[in-house]
Amino acid sequence: MKRTSRFLALLLSAVMLLALAGCGGKDTTPAPQPSDGDAAGEAIVYPADLLNYYVAASAGGGLDIVSRAFTNQWEDALGTTFEYIYEDTGNTYLMALNDLGGLDEDEFGVICGLPEAMLGMFAFQDSPYTVDDIAWIGNVYTDANCLMVRIDDDRFNSAQDLIDYARTASSPIAISTPQALTPANITAQIFVEASGINANVVTYSGGSGARNDLIGGHVDVSVGGISTAVGLADQVKIIGIFGENNPVTDIWPDAQVVSDFATDFEMPDLTCHCSIWTTKAMAERNPEVYQMLVDTYAQAIQSDDAATNLKNANQDRFIDYFGPDETAANATGFMKTLEDYAYLLDPANG
């Protein structure tokens, strides 16, 4: 019995010595297995636990509604959490860019907004930024501006009716628009000059006020994005679209597109976009993070879940994803329009 016990003790000591010898060598922890789609075996993880998501508008508005339809999917693709920050007072784009530029090197953020409005700030306001400071991530939706009139206004059943009427009107018609450097206001100003109609463009401090005064009969026409009119189908009708297609044929099948009514004058492309961007400085400092933002955004906005959410929000007809290069090309084209019409659009010219 004693011999057996001594043998077991010696055997146990040998096993322990072998184990201790192994501890001084290589790590015996099982190697991590490659994740799906990762041949190198290292999981791609976003380098921060928070992404600052700046919305250049108020909470509950159009940009917020559309963003909420895909940012959950974007969070999942990045493996992080989004902090929504609403820039809804003052110069919203300047404030958002200041906040974005003020982040520490280990913090990251993006802006969701209307690039044309930001480009108007670059062109006509005292801005420390230019388009060269922007790194585009991708486009969210494309929303042509349109001519809205009251649903019971029998004077105007087409854009051509409006043009014919206003060209010979003894007193000017009133056209409401949102803030001065919005694409809608720029569209209205160029339309009035190019078409030769007798009209005054009345600039409001927001789109809701411009549309409310149309519904209330204080102005004759309102210019804004088609998306803003869809929810008012029982109060307004769209008679003209400053684009080459009609995404609301189910609601306003007779709305004329720009080639139908701009027959004896020219209009530049003034389609409004909603896009996502960050700073060029961040993209150059962290190219891998920037590329991750580009790739995961594309994945999120084109996901089935996002498509369902956008449809439920009645925004699916406007979704138009394209990547950084085409978003940048659109910005370049719009900047050219601002330069060509600076004499008309620059607030400094009165």
Side-chain angles (χ1 to χ4, degrees), residues 191-214:
F191 170 63
V192 169
E193 170 158 299
S195 65
I197 63 175
N198 185 11
N200 290 328
V201 177
V202 184
T203 305
Y204 284 68
S205 59
S208 59
R211 293 185 292 276
N212 288 341
D213 269 11
L214 170 68

Side-chain angles (χ1 to χ4, degrees), residues 95-113:
M95 292 170 61
L97 285 168
N98 284 340
D99 287 347
L100 199 58
L103 295 175
D104 293 336
E105 289 193 3
D106 60 348
E107 297 178 310
F108 303 95
V110 301
I111 297 175
C112 175

